[in-house]
Amino acid sequence: QVQPVESGGDLVEAGGSLRLSCAGPDLTYGIVPMAWYRQAPGKQRELVAGISSGGNTNYADSVKGRFTISRDNGKNTVYLQMNNLKPEDTARYYCKPVTSPIWGQGTQVTVSS
């Protein structure tokens, strides 16, 4: 496996929560900076959240306070906990190492109003 595998997307009501998972191909996913991105129809792909090897995090202003990025280095997995979802969060979500050029298929998050 050379691509990340994102999962956990679903159709949810506004105000609901989801947890996305990103499984990496090898143990490097436990030691390199990782990030979640999203792309909505008609919009550019944007950074949602990032996490360093040491656990420092950063978030887009639009999701700060609602989303939490975390990682389980032993499982080569990164998570995105999404709370208080809004219709504006509807997008396909992707995860990868910050410096990697390889994108996975992403996982669709759709938030109904």
Side-chain angles (χ1 to χ4, degrees):
Q1 183 174 290
V2 298
Q3 295 177 309
V5 179
E6 301 95 338
S7 62
D10 206 349
L11 171 63
V12 299
E13 297 179 337
S17 297
L18 287 172
R19 189 177 75 156
L20 307 184
S21 297
C22 174
D26 55 49
L27 59 79
T28 64
Y29 272 45
I31 61 175
V32 301
M34 301 289 297
W36 283 95
Y37 307 80
R38 67 185 181 187
Q39 186 168 26
K43 297 183 178 179
Q44 296 182 8
R45 185 143 47 198
E46 63 178 344
L47 176 69
V48 175
I51 186 167
S52 73
S53 60
N56 294 318
T57 59
N58 64 281
Y59 300 91
D61 288 342
S62 59
V63 308
K64 191 173 297 183
R66 300 188 298 119
F67 291 10
T68 303
I69 186 172
S70 62
R71 65 197 304 168
D72 184 336
N73 294 344
K75 295 182 178 180
N76 302 328
T77 302
V78 181
Y79 304 96
L80 186 68
Q81 178 67 45
M82 305 185 296
N83 298 326
N84 301 315
L85 284 161
K86 303 185 294 184
E88 300 95 301
D89 296 316
T90 294
R92 195 159 192 88
Y93 285 71
Y94 304 84
C95 174
K96 71 175 185 68
V98 170
T99 59
S100 175
I102 302 173
W103 296 89
Q105 296 299 307
T107 185
Q108 180 68 35
V109 172
T110 302
V111 184
S112 65
S113 59

